[in-house]
Amino acid sequence: MHALLIVNPNATSTTPAGRDLLAHALSSRVRLTVTHTTHRGHAAELAAKARTDGVALIIVHGGDGTVNEVVNGLLGAPHPTSMRSVPSGPIPLVAVVPGGSANVFARSLGIAADPVDATNQLIDLLSARRRRTIGLGHCDNRWFTFNAGMGLDAQVCEAVDHGRNVGQSVTPGRYVRHAVRAFFRAKRETPVLTVEVPGADPAPFVAEGVHYAFVSNSTPWTYLDRREVHTNPGTSVDTGLGLFAMRTMGVFATLRVVRQLLSTGLSPKSHSLIRFDDVSEIRIHASTPIGLQLDGDYIGTRSDVTFTAVPDVLTVVAPDVP
């Protein structure tokens, strides 16, 4: 099997020794080519070329942003009516060895968080030919693997991206600090979002006066070190999308919901919370353009976004049950 290892050398938890170990271990199982990314978007370019060249397996060693680039490079822009991939030819298998700060996608698939453990796990999975086909989310002409959002979390991602660009390390603590600052800034602002779920039962659901909205393709929504944060426990890569949206920025109501998010086994509930699991489409309109993030990367401001669930679109090397 011909495999391409795409390494982001700037990812938070990648090291030269870890990269060498990964390449050495994989070389005993596959015919391996190793490439390092050098600029934003490079992983997408490498993945697109790998598909054209007939590479059978792409292994990503980097964070969620690198994984997102690879997925978008492989699948390209989908056909608008079928939401299926446009590029011709077979789509390579995708495997992930975590190398970022959160690695939400890999961990939601049951991949070990530690790169060395994940390398050994990947070798075992390849030997056993273990793989599964999963669904993805799509919006704004891009694919996302585990979550997207408009409003609060996009502001946090924008701040983290800015810090990364000026040399700040990315840590869970930095995310929390940016989240607190963004919350108190947004608390003074008028809500601008209208959320619509066309396929809601028994009728289409529409809610105005929404402050922020998270759209999930898997659970957990994110991690704080080892702690899982579940916005939509009933959502996974085998279902439709999950929606988590708040109609209040009240401190006490928010703290109650945050406690539920951090508690194992609790399903978030609040009279100010809008939550759906397993829906095929979500539409969000902003009366004033507001930030959009996909898989932790800040995309820019948008006024109208449609989020679509696309089942069985990507085959990954992963355990059957996370």
Side-chain angles (χ1 to χ4, degrees), residues 4 6 42-52 58 69-71 73-74 92:
L4 173 66
I6 298 178
H42 193 193
E45 298 166 8
L46 293 171
K49 186 176 187 303
R51 177 172 180 169
T52 302
I58 294 180
E69 283 193 15
V70 167
V71 169
L74 281 180

Side-chain angles (χ1 to χ4, degrees), residues 211-260:
H211 286 271
Y212 57 89
F214 307 151
V215 177
S216 297
N217 185 57
S218 68
T219 195
W221 171 69
T222 191
Y223 289 84
L224 295 175
D225 285 330
R226 295 181 180 274
R227 184 180 290 274
E228 300 176 352
V229 181
H230 294 271
T231 59
N232 295 82
T235 295
S236 75
V237 293
D238 300 314
T239 71
L241 300 176
L243 171 67
F244 179 102
M246 287 291 285
R247 287 187 277 204
T248 183
M249 295 295 285
V251 173
F252 292 110
T254 299
L255 288 176
R256 283 195 298 271
V257 171
V258 168
R259 180 181 61 82
Q260 295 171 3

Side-chain angles (χ1 to χ4, degrees), residues 283-294:
R283 300 172 187 167
I284 301 179
H285 168 73
S287 57
T288 301
I290 196 169
L292 169 69
Q293 70 85 12
L294 300 178

Side-chain angles (χ1 to χ4, degrees), residues 5-288:
L5 172 61
I6 298 178
V7 177
N8 179 358
N10 298 316
T12 304
S13 59
T14 61
T15 64
R19 296 193 291 268
D20 290 345
L21 172 65
L22 173 59
H24 178 74
L26 290 172
S27 295
S28 65
R29 301 289 179 177
V30 296
R31 183 161 52 92
L32 188 68
T33 301
V34 182
T35 306
H36 290 195
T37 61
T38 59
H39 56 270
R40 193 178 185 95
H42 193 193
E45 298 166 8
L46 293 171
K49 186 176 187 303
R51 177 172 180 169
T52 302
D53 292 345
V55 172
L57 168 67
I58 294 180
I59 304 158
V60 188
H61 184 34
D64 289 310
T66 308
V67 175
N68 181 279
E69 283 193 15
V70 167
V71 169
N72 277 278
L74 281 180
L75 300 182
H79 192 277
T81 56
S82 67
M83 292 303 296
R84 290 298 171 181
S85 181
V86 169
S88 60
I91 301 172
L93 293 169
V94 174
V96 183
V97 174
S101 57
N103 306 297
V104 180
F105 177 65
R107 292 165 72 176
S108 70
L109 291 178
I111 303 300
D114 180 79
V116 175
D117 292 341
T119 298
N120 293 327
Q121 183 184 20
L122 175 57
I123 296 298
D124 292 340
L125 290 169
L126 288 173
S127 298
R129 301 181 64 85
R130 298 283 291 277
R131 59 193 65 176
R132 57 190 295 219
T133 301
I134 63 171
L136 299 176
H138 188 272
C139 74
D140 198 53
N141 207 35
R142 290 172 61 98
W143 300 94
F144 62 95
T145 62
F146 64 93
N147 76 35
M150 295 185 73
L152 184 64
D153 63 334
Q155 295 170 18
V156 174
C157 292
E158 181 183 18
V160 171
D161 282 352
H162 175 74
R164 183 188 288 114
N165 292 336
V166 298
Q168 295 177 350
S169 59
V170 179
T171 64
R174 193 172 298 279
Y175 271 101
V176 171
R177 289 193 293 274
H178 283 306
V180 171
R181 292 169 187 157
F183 173 82
F184 282 103
R185 282 197 305 268
K187 189 176 184 300
R188 300 187 294 267
E189 299 173 355
T190 301
V192 300
L193 298 181
T194 298
V195 174
E196 178 183 357
V197 182
D201 188 22
F205 174 87
V206 179
E208 299 178 342
V210 174
H211 286 271
Y212 57 89
F214 307 151
V215 177
S216 297
N217 185 57
S218 68
T219 195
W221 171 69
T222 191
Y223 289 84
L224 295 175
D225 285 330
R226 295 181 180 274
R227 184 180 290 274
E228 300 176 352
V229 181
H230 294 271
T231 59
N232 295 82
T235 295
S236 75
V237 293
D238 300 314
T239 71
L241 300 176
L243 171 67
F244 179 102
M246 287 291 285
R247 287 187 277 204
T248 183
M249 295 295 285
V251 173
F252 292 110
T254 299
L255 288 176
R256 283 195 298 271
V257 171
V258 168
R259 180 181 61 82
Q260 295 171 3
L261 295 178
L262 297 176
S263 299
T264 303
L266 283 185
S267 184
K269 295 179 182 179
S270 169
H271 70 277
S272 300
L273 172 63
I274 302 164
R275 194 170 75 84
F276 286 89
D277 289 321
D278 195 13
V279 296
S280 60
E281 183 177 281
I282 299 163
R283 300 172 187 167
I284 301 179
H285 168 73
S287 57
T288 301

